[in-house]
Amino acid sequence: MNHGRVSRGRPAGLRSAIGSPFQILLLACSFALAAYAGVRLLAGDWLGVALWFAGAALLHDLVLVPLYSALDRAVTGGLGAVHRRAWAMYVRVPAAFSALLLLVWFPLVGGRVDASYRGTTGLSADGYLARWLLITAVLFGGSALLLALRSLRSATKGRSPDVH
């Protein structure tokens, strides 16, 4: 009987808790990179950065969570009314990806960039709204296609063999 010991003589839980040397090295490097980025970020305007993080957390917790929770309840309630509650994930996933893209690229999608953007990047800020709308349409279209394929497959599985 082994009694929780691996063949190398170490307890089984210790190896899994610590991880391999490669994992430890990778984790140490990621902490070093995060520390470097934090020092660089806070070097210029640490009070402004701290206020931005606190404001973002409050905005998320007090405004955005109730908003997208209410939207999710409306979607699942509407789909529940037509007895299609299983379709909710086919709306949630593309909506979440679209919202994430909007959140990341909001200044460009909303056209809220100044002239220094073009001077710094050499790129135009035009067209981001159209691209975001196109990506959103592709996400929802792909989700609808997956739903149709799933529905078609489940409909053919439900038939008796003599119908085929």
Side-chain angles (χ1 to χ4, degrees), residues 12-103:
L14 185 62
R15 173 120 173 115
S16 64
I18 293 176
S20 71
F22 178 70
Q23 288 174 326
I24 294 170
L25 178 66
L26 191 61
L27 187 62
C29 289
S30 67
F31 278 132
L33 181 63
Y36 172 75
V39 167
R40 292 287 306 238
L41 180 67
L42 296 174
D45 182 21
W46 67 269
L47 181 62
V49 171
L51 286 174
W52 186 86
F53 272 110
L58 288 174
L59 174 71
H60 177 265
D61 292 349
L62 298 178
V63 176
L64 294 179
V65 169
L67 179 67
Y68 55 70
S69 295
L71 287 172
D72 186 60
R73 284 182 185 245
V75 167
T76 55
L79 290 173
V82 294
H83 306 293
R84 300 289 188 223
R85 204 171 178 96
W87 292 3
M89 288 307 292
Y90 293 94
V91 176
R92 284 179 182 153
V93 171
F97 279 120
S98 177
L100 181 64
L101 288 172
L102 179 62
L103 180 67

Side-chain angles (χ1 to χ4, degrees), residues 148-160 163-164:
L149 289 174
R150 178 181 169 240
S151 298
L152 182 65
R153 188 178 69 182
S154 67
T156 58
K157 281 186 178 181
R159 292 184 188 167
S160 63
V163 176
H164 291 289

